[in-house]
């Protein structure tokens, strides 16, 4: 264990790490006494320095008596404890057998969001390359990568997200993003501070969020219609000449085609599609286009529809033609700080589980796992997936159609789950491995996806709980046992972290002097003036020949989600599944009693008008039913949601909303399932 800085009493020390409670990983200052974390607070040197309510449960979570403490093997009679040496030997032997009989592509690896952009993420991808399987996927199969694909097609073919830069924004538009519940308080404070200084705040969300109450404009489009709304805004901006003519002339491809295309989206028509009045569309279009710099924050709410990528494309075009791309206070695409550790040319991606979604692989460098259950259940697939390694992923609760994924997991020859707790998914595994939380090991994290050119190295602050180990160590051990030493020359994860730091001229020791924090890039505005855009045409691509080549609409287009008439008759409401709530992250933290006290039971938000029609009251148990089945939850009556739309957060094991979601309606480009537009009905339970 590293020497910690003493702060007074012997055995009391400070350590710097990141909060393990959600994907954002706010900087965290930990107070360690006698080898235990006794206090945690935000770390002032970090950009994400203001922790949210969940961080109050950090100590309970790390020291939960329910933490896994030993490697376990499932037997008919129950779980058998194994040593790490034995479990790693057994897993590697089984992997070798499966590889020999079915080929390397019969292994799939899936990582949950906690490990995204850490050294574990890099090691797992590299392991897949070295083993020879194209089947690496992650929780970004359902969140974030539609944004990456849409903005990459428009601005940067290296796979970049067009993230907001709030500094100095005169207008902030939150589109399907609710930072109050899903982000760090730092982002929320930045937005409120801009608003207090006079910036316009526009919220587009079918739910009237707390920020929507404070906003200058709140538009509530019907779920899944955002692309039409963005096209309506573009229509108005182009017609009124509110676009940046110099930028459009010099730096875009396809503006004339766009002008012809948006004629199909007059405001009356857009109003019919979205349910938003034409005047409201005009107003926000004008405010956004004439108050520069203006930033747009795009959220998950946009992505999980059949039009997700096209919605991001339309919004990207809006950002570009109004002159808000690559300026402070507008939207920017950052480069990652941690290098890639892929082994190029090793795998044949055409046979991967995500082969139906080629642009997903091109822009994210990995396969979507949306077809993973099919690849397991269908023995005719090429090759069928027979072994699955899951790290930090409770897939049964967090992915659509839980029954299908559950059946698929039961059909594997080898399922290894590495996690902190015995999750619903871990219970299905042949082997369960106890993982560490961030303070228990060395970690490196890249924050580029949040538009911060920041890397943080968090050194181990406490000893691992029980016999737990880091997920990265698992990959190094597997590589050693499978004879992949040439591809994995590192003895331990510290050497991997040193390797990832080396391009920046830093070591773990030199990072210590700066509390692990490194801002790795000072990026100039409008970098395209020097380099052009990183697209085939070197311009911002309004008209995408790449989309055309792969058989998709080259210009953003709205498509209606087709449903059978009987379904629409029997299931008259629209279910938004999976909005975030402040106390929980996905399926995590429902075990922490302090968090459970805040939200003791799963609930469905029902608009007041709908509740009155159905004679329902708050607190009453109701049955929410879709064509997939039903769950029973508490009714929460609210005026803050669009009439006809109801909403259920995900992650509750006792009322798993994914039992009633499915993935049949998908975005044809990203494969993202339409989880925000599910027909449903509600009756008293
Ligand atoms: S937003 Fe909250 S839960 Fe997420 S990392 Fe920050 S403090 Fe932790």
């Amino acid at each position: 264990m590293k020497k910690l800085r003493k702060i007074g009493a012997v055995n009391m020390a400070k350590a710097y790490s990141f909060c393990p409670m959600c994907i954002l990983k706010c900087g965290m200052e930990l107070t360690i006494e006698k080898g235990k974390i006794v206090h945690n607070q935000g770390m002032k040197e970090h950009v994400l320095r203001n922790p949210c309510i969940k961080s109050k449960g950090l100590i309970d979570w790390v020291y939960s008596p329910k933490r896994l403490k030993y490697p376990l093997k499932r037997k008919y009679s129950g779980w058998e404890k194994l040593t790490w040496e034995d479990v790693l030997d057994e897993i590697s032997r089984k992997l070798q057998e499966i590889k020999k009989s079915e080929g390397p592509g019969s292994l799939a690896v899936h990582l949950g969001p906690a490990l995204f952009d850490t050294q574990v993420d890099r090691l797992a991808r590299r392991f897949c390359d070295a083993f020879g399987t194209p089947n690496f996927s992650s929780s970004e199969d359902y969140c974030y990568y539609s944004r990456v694909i849409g903005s990459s097609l428009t601005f940067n073919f290296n796979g970049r997200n067009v993230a907001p830069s709030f500094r100095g924004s005169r207008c902030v538009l939150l589109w399907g993003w609710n930072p109050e519940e899903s982000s760090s308080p730092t982002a929320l404070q930045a937005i409120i501070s801009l608003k207090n200084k006079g910036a316009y705040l526009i919220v587009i969300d079918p739910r009237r969020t707390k920020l929507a109450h404070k906003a200058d404009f709140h538009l509530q489009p019907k779920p899944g219609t955002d692309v039409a709304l963005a096209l309506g805004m573009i229509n108005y901006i182009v017609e009124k000449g509110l676009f940046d003519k110099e930028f459009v002339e010099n730096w875009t491809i396809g503006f004339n085609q766009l002008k012809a295309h948006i004629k199909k989206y007059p405001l009356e028509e857009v109003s019919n599609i979205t349910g938003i009045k034409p005047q409201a569309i005009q107003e926000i279009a004008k405010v956004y286009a004439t108050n520069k710099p203006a930033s747009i924050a795009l959220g998950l709410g946009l992505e999980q529809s059949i039009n997700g990528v096209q919605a991001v494309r339309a919004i990207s075009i809006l950002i570009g033609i109004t002159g808000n791309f690559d300026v402070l206070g507008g939207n920017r695409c950052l480069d990652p700080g941690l290098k890639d550790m892929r082994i190029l040319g090793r795998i044949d991606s055409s046979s991967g589980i995500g082969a139906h979604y080629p642009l997903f692989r091109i822009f994210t460098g990995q396969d979507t796992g949306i077809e993973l259950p099919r690849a397991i259940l269908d023995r005719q697939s090429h090759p069928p997936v027979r072994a699955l390694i899951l790290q930090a992923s409770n897939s049964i609760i967090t992915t659509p159609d839980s029954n299908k994924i559950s059946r698929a997991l039961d059909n594997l020859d080898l399922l290894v789950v590495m996690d902190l707790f015995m999750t619903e998914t871990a219970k299905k595994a042949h082997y369960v491995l106890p993982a560490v939380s961030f303070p228990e090991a060395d970690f490196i994290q890249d924050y580029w996806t949040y538009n911060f050119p920041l890397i943080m190295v968090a050194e181990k602050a406490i000893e691992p709980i029980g016999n737990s180990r880091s997920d990265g160590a698992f990959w190094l051990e597997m590589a050693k046992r499978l004879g992949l030493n040439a591809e994995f020359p590192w003895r331990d994860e510290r050497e991997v972290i040193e390797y990832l730091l080396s391009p920046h001229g830093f070591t773990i020791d030199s990072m210590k002097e700066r509390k692990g924090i490194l801002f790795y890039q000072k990026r100039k505005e409008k970098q395209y003036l020097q380099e052009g855009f990183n697209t085939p045409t070197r311009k911002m691509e309004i008209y995408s020949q790449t989309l055309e080549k792969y058989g998709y609409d080259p210009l953003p287009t709205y498509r209606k989600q087709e449903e059978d008439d009987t379904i629409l008759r029997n299931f008259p409401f629209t279910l938004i599944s999976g909005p975030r709530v402040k106390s929980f992250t996905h399926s995590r933290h429902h075990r922490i009693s302090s968090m459970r006290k805040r939200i003791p039971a799963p609930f469905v938000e029902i608009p007041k008008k709908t509740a009155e029609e159905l004679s329902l009251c708050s607190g009453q148990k109701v049955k929410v039913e879709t064509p997939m089945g039903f769950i029973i939850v508490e009714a929460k009556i609210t005026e803050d949601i669009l009439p006809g739309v109801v909403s259920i957060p995900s992650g509750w094991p006792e009322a798993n909303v994914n039992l009633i979601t499915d993935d049949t309606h998908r975005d044809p480009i990203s494969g993202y399932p339409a989880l925000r537009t599910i027909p449903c009905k509600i009756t008293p339970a």
Side-chain angles (χ1 to χ4, degrees):
M1 185 176 171
K2 80 185 182 97
K3 274 189 192 152
L4 298 164
R5 193 164 59 85
K6 290 185 179 168
I7 54 164
V10 177
N11 290 331
M12 190 178 267
K14 291 274 184 227
Y16 300 96
S17 187
F18 20 82
C19 170
M21 308 295 277
C22 89
I23 188 169
L24 286 160
K25 296 170 193 143
C26 297
M28 201 55 74
E29 185 179 298
L30 306 174
T31 306
I32 314 291
E33 190 177 349
K34 295 182 185 162
K36 281 194 80 174
I37 306 170
V38 291
H39 180 68
N40 59 287
Q41 64 184 45
M43 181 182 168
K44 65 179 187 310
E45 296 80 1
H46 201 284
V47 266
L48 297 174
R49 60 181 69 87
N50 302 310
C52 78
I53 186 80
K54 283 193 285 285
S55 71
K56 293 193 189 307
L58 185 149
I59 295 176
D60 285 352
W61 196 62
V62 170
Y63 294 109
S64 166
K66 293 184 182 154
R67 283 279 302 270
L68 289 165
K69 298 195 177 65
Y70 313 95
L72 298 170
K73 177 181 183 176
R74 185 147 55 88
K75 299 274 224 180
Y76 287 115
S77 51
W79 293 102
E80 179 192 7
K81 277 186 203 168
L82 291 186
T83 65
W84 271 102
E85 289 308 300
D86 287 347
V87 81
L88 292 168
D89 285 347
E90 282 194 25
I91 293 169
S92 58
R93 207 164 44 241
K94 283 177 192 275
L95 281 179
Q96 265 165 333
E97 285 165 15
I98 291 168
K99 183 177 184 180
K100 201 166 163 208
S101 65
E102 306 277 0
S106 56
L107 168 67
V109 170
H110 184 90
L111 260 58
L115 302 172
F116 189 57
D117 264 333
T118 64
Q119 81 274 11
V120 182
D121 169 86
R122 299 296 193 268
L123 284 167
R125 289 168 194 257
R126 186 173 179 86
F127 178 86
C128 288
D129 291 342
F131 189 85
T133 178
N135 298 327
F136 174 87
S137 64
S138 68
S139 53
E140 286 68 41
D141 297 344
Y142 303 98
C143 173
Y144 176 62
Y145 273 161
S146 272
R147 277 170 270 177
V148 169
I149 297 167
S151 57
S152 300
L153 280 159
T154 317
F155 298 117
N156 189 328
F157 270 47
N158 271 345
R160 300 288 184 262
N161 177 31
V162 63
S165 143
F166 293 127
R167 198 180 303 169
S169 297
R170 293 183 58 224
C171 172
V172 175
L173 197 169
L174 309 182
W175 204 318
W177 187 54
N178 181 10
E180 186 107 30
E181 301 288 338
S182 67
S183 189
S184 139
T186 309
L188 190 64
Q189 284 164 10
I191 293 163
I192 290 173
S193 151
L194 286 166
K195 169 95 183 85
N196 290 341
K197 284 182 196 150
Y200 284 99
L201 177 60
I202 303 169
V203 173
I204 298 177
D205 197 317
R207 300 164 74 225
R208 192 178 299 123
T209 59
K210 285 189 189 151
L211 269 179
H213 280 281
K214 299 188 178 97
D216 299 287
F217 301 91
H218 175 215
L219 272 55
Q220 292 178 282
K222 293 178 199 161
T225 63
D226 306 86
V227 63
L229 180 56
L231 288 166
M233 289 173 71
I234 293 171
N235 190 336
Y236 179 80
I237 287 166
V238 171
E239 190 194 315
K240 297 292 174 197
L242 299 177
F243 56 95
D244 183 330
K245 295 175 187 70
E246 192 271 327
F247 177 86
V248 164
E249 198 164 305
N250 294 315
W251 294 107
T252 66
I253 288 284
F255 187 69
N256 286 336
Q257 286 107 315
L258 177 73
K259 268 167 73 176
H261 180 68
I262 52 176
K263 291 208 169 77
K264 294 182 216 154
Y265 296 90
L267 294 193
E268 289 300 332
E269 175 61 17
V270 172
S271 178
N272 288 338
I273 296 170
T274 60
I276 306 285
K277 291 200 173 88
Q279 195 191 341
I281 302 170
Q282 287 175 6
E283 278 174 349
I284 63 159
K286 188 173 173 191
V287 166
Y288 173 73
T290 57
N291 288 280
K292 290 197 262 186
S295 55
I296 302 183
L298 291 74
L300 174 62
L302 271 177
E303 296 182 293
Q304 293 179 334
S305 102
I306 61 166
N307 296 306
V309 172
Q310 292 291 17
V312 178
R313 280 265 300 144
I315 294 167
S316 298
I317 291 168
L318 190 58
I319 291 166
I321 64 168
T322 51
N324 281 304
F325 178 71
D326 209 8
V327 291
L328 280 176
N331 282 72
R332 316 185 76 185
C333 296
L334 277 198
D335 293 325
L338 295 186
K339 60 183 171 181
D340 200 352
M341 287 173 59
R342 304 301 298 266
I343 308 170
L344 296 178
R346 276 291 180 90
I347 50 168
D348 171 15
S349 57
S350 63
S351 63
I353 52 175
H356 292 308
Y357 301 97
L359 294 181
F360 193 108
R361 175 166 273 278
I362 288 171
F363 292 113
T364 72
Q366 68 183 63
D367 269 21
T368 166
I370 189 84
E371 291 285 14
L372 182 58
R374 185 195 54 78
I376 297 169
L377 292 167
D378 176 7
R379 298 259 169 173
Q380 305 308 314
S381 56
H382 300 289
V385 168
R386 304 307 321 141
L388 174 62
I389 300 174
L390 292 172
Q391 289 184 318
S393 173
N394 190 2
S395 304
I396 286 183
I397 302 292
T398 55
T399 54
D401 193 353
S402 294
N403 284 323
K404 184 165 68 175
I405 184 81
S406 189
R407 269 197 322 279
L409 299 184
D410 286 338
N411 270 275
L412 284 160
D413 296 336
L414 174 65
L415 173 60
V416 178
V417 174
M418 190 160 184
D419 214 315
L420 275 75
F421 297 95
M422 183 59 86
T423 61
E424 291 68 24
T425 305
K427 285 177 193 159
K428 298 256 174 197
H430 300 102
Y431 297 94
V432 178
L433 307 178
V436 293
S437 66
F438 291 129
E440 297 160 55
D442 301 315
F443 277 93
I444 188 166
Q445 174 71 43
D446 193 345
Y447 290 82
W448 72 285
T449 54
Y450 312 126
N451 215 9
F452 304 127
L454 167 67
I455 291 170
M456 181 172 177
V457 174
E459 280 196 271
K460 178 174 157 183
I462 56 169
E463 288 302 314
I465 301 296
N467 241 335
S468 52
R469 282 195 186 176
S470 114
D471 298 85
F474 170 80
W475 295 115
L476 291 173
E477 289 292 337
M478 273 298 115
K480 197 159 66 185
R481 281 168 171 76
L482 292 168
L484 303 172
N485 298 330
E487 293 87 349
F488 286 82
W490 307 281
R491 279 171 300 180
D492 56 33
E493 274 183 289
R494 282 180 77 82
E495 287 192 0
V496 177
I497 293 172
E498 297 281 13
Y499 171 77
L500 288 167
L501 274 174
S502 56
H504 300 286
F506 281 88
T507 62
I508 294 177
D509 275 343
S510 59
M511 287 289 280
K512 243 183 243 175
E513 289 153 25
R514 37 199 315 135
K515 297 185 179 172
I517 297 279
L518 174 65
F519 288 92
Y520 59 82
Q521 193 181 50
K522 278 210 175 78
R523 206 166 181 283
K524 293 193 192 92
E525 290 185 281
K526 299 189 180 179
Q527 204 140 312
Y528 57 84
L529 294 177
Q530 277 79 49
E531 303 162 2
F533 284 80
N534 184 15
T535 60
T537 57
R538 310 305 295 171
K539 300 215 170 164
M540 172 189 145
E541 300 203 339
I542 294 175
Y543 188 95
S544 170
Q545 289 191 348
T546 306
L547 281 172
E548 192 170 44
K549 181 175 143 198
Y550 283 90
Y552 305 114
D553 294 319
L555 288 162
T557 302
Y558 167 74
R559 288 185 307 125
K560 189 167 184 251
Q561 184 173 314
E562 298 299 339
E563 293 287 0
D564 191 276
D565 280 349
T566 324
I567 288 183
L568 289 176
R569 252 196 322 278
N570 292 335
F571 301 94
F573 304 119
T574 300
L575 168 64
I576 296 178
S577 75
R580 305 290 181 247
V581 289
K582 213 184 281 183
S583 298
F584 307 120
T585 306
H586 308 140
S587 65
R588 288 192 264 168
H589 316 140
H590 293 77
R591 294 171 181 82
I592 301 174
S593 52
S594 54
M595 295 297 137
R596 275 302 274 257
K597 270 188 207 144
R598 298 177 61 81
I599 308 182
F603 61 88
V604 54
E605 285 183 330
I606 304 173
K608 193 166 174 223
K609 192 160 169 276
T610 308
E612 282 167 1
E613 283 161 14
L614 299 173
S615 304
L616 300 174
C617 56
S618 267
Q620 180 179 356
K621 291 262 189 252
V622 292
K623 185 171 164 185
V624 182
E625 191 170 356
T626 73
M628 298 295 286
F630 70 87
I631 56 171
I632 292 180
V633 287
E634 269 183 19
K636 186 172 167 188
I637 313 300
T638 173
E639 293 194 53
D640 290 340
I641 191 164
L642 196 62
V645 177
V646 302
S647 158
I648 305 182
S650 61
W652 293 86
E654 62 270 56
N656 173 14
V657 72
N658 280 315
L659 285 168
I660 59 171
T661 62
D662 76 274
D663 61 7
T664 46
H665 292 294
R666 295 184 192 173
D667 183 321
I669 304 171
S670 66
Y672 272 35
L675 298 177
R676 308 272 159 159
T677 49
I678 302 168
C680 76
K681 71 174 170 188
I682 302 200
T683 47

